[in-house]
Amino acid sequence: MPDRRQPDSPTDDNPFAAPPEGRPDQPWQPRNGGGGGNGEDPGDSDGRRGPARWDPTDPVQRRARYALLAGMWGFFFGIFGIPSVGLLLGALALYWGISALRGKPAAATGEPGAPTGLDALGPAARPQRTAAVSGLVTASLAILLAMSSYGLQLAYKDFYVCRDDALTKSAELQCNTLLPNNVLGDVLKVRQ
């Protein structure tokens, strides 16, 4: 197409283009994932490979992901009014998050000075550490929601018993007198 700008031949990085004049043909080689073009891998500069993929056989990585998922679902169950499931998932996420941060990966060496926990994974530890810490945060929120729900039910037990035992709407409205006259009482009271 005439309106398309053609790239300059020195900056052209087309592997299918013919070699420049005067250079012999070279056999095809796979490209590295975005290095400098000299065959160097950017993650290879210090002798280690770049971040590894998630390994489901590694218990540390698996627990970090479990902590994130259980904490997130525990938080959702706490918000939607099922505190028992939220408390269970929050406790599991707390356990998995702490064990992921302190655990030893499957490929850990037995050397006494070797790093342990997620630090032994090197650059691949960043996503797992983020998942474990996020799982701990959401687990703490899920446990806080569940405990506050149970605390409200314990503090205002008379109101909840009265409301559950009421047979008519007028009897249920009479239970509002058992609540305090503040914002919390306005939130919990039975609406007409």
Side-chain angles (χ1 to χ4, degrees):
M1 295 183 164
D3 60 338
R4 238 177 164 182
R5 199 183 99 188
Q6 297 295 323
D8 297 334
S9 59
T11 61
D12 188 18
D13 197 19
N14 185 358
F16 303 108
E21 289 189 34
R23 286 182 66 190
D25 286 341
Q26 295 177 349
W28 180 84
Q29 295 177 354
R31 285 188 185 192
N32 291 333
N38 300 347
E40 295 179 13
D41 189 9
D44 237 357
S45 60
D46 61 349
R48 294 184 301 195
R49 301 287 303 169
R53 299 185 89 171
W54 180 56
D55 182 16
T57 61
D58 188 3
V60 171
Q61 295 182 30
R62 195 171 53 235
R63 286 179 185 153
R65 299 293 171 108
Y66 287 168
L68 177 63
L69 289 172
M72 182 178 59
W73 280 105
F75 178 72
F76 287 143
F77 278 114
I79 284 178
F80 294 127
I82 308 174
S84 57
V85 177
L87 183 64
L88 172 68
L89 289 174
L92 281 172
L94 203 62
Y95 168 73
W96 282 326
I98 291 171
S99 65
L101 290 174
R102 297 185 67 195
K104 295 180 182 174
T109 59
E111 300 172 14
T116 60
L118 288 175
D119 294 332
L121 291 175
R126 187 170 182 213
Q128 279 71 33
R129 185 175 292 114
T130 303
V133 170
S134 299
L136 287 174
V137 169
T138 54
S140 301
L141 290 173
I143 290 172
L144 182 68
L145 283 171
M147 288 300 172
S148 63
S149 174
Y150 287 137
L152 279 175
Q153 290 177 14
L154 187 62
Y156 299 111
K157 184 177 181 179
D158 295 337
F159 166 75
Y160 285 107
V161 169
C162 176
R163 189 189 68 181
D164 291 342
D165 291 344
L167 297 177
T168 63
K169 187 67 173 180
S170 61
E172 192 175 4
L173 288 172
Q174 288 296 322
C175 296
N176 287 342
T177 59
L178 300 171
L179 291 173
N181 291 328
N182 58 17
V183 176
L184 184 62
D186 292 340
V187 170
L188 293 177
K189 74 178 178 180
V190 178
R191 307 280 180 226
Q192 291 185 7

